[in-house]
Amino acid sequence: RSEMAPDERAELLSLDIISGLSRFRQLAVLSPHTVLSNSLSGHSPFERARAMRVTYLVQTQIRADKTAP
């Protein structure tokens, strides 16, 4: 869907990843909304991860390719 804004694509991509990872019973996956809605929202992602006692923290950044047609 090329008519989507880059931030919309990024949101859909992260939802797809969360959905895929949550299929594994061995993993407990927290959604961005859960993480951002807790009382630590003013803290860094690493501080929030430590406070929520998570083992892995995945951060991404998606950038548009300015040279793409």
Side-chain angles (χ1 to χ4, degrees), residues 9-28:
R9 287 186 204 153
E11 179 72 19
L12 286 176
L13 178 60
S14 56
L15 291 174
D16 284 346
I17 292 169
I18 290 168
S19 177
L21 289 174
S22 66
R23 293 182 184 143
F24 294 96
R25 293 182 184 188
Q26 301 88 347
L27 296 177

Side-chain angles (χ1 to χ4, degrees), residues 1-65:
R1 297 173 62 182
S2 61
E3 70 276 359
M4 294 176 65
D7 58 331
E8 292 175 309
R9 287 186 204 153
E11 179 72 19
L12 286 176
L13 178 60
S14 56
L15 291 174
D16 284 346
I17 292 169
I18 290 168
S19 177
L21 289 174
S22 66
R23 293 182 184 143
F24 294 96
R25 293 182 184 188
Q26 301 88 347
L27 296 177
V29 180
L30 301 175
S31 73
H33 302 291
T34 300
V35 174
L36 293 175
S37 68
N38 72 24
S39 61
L40 299 169
S41 62
H43 294 79
S44 76
F46 295 105
E47 291 169 322
R48 289 188 298 232
R50 191 175 313 118
M52 290 185 286
R53 306 182 98 179
V54 299
T55 305
Y56 298 100
L57 172 66
V58 178
Q59 288 186 286
T60 61
Q61 184 178 33
I62 298 175
R63 293 183 229 161
D65 181 0

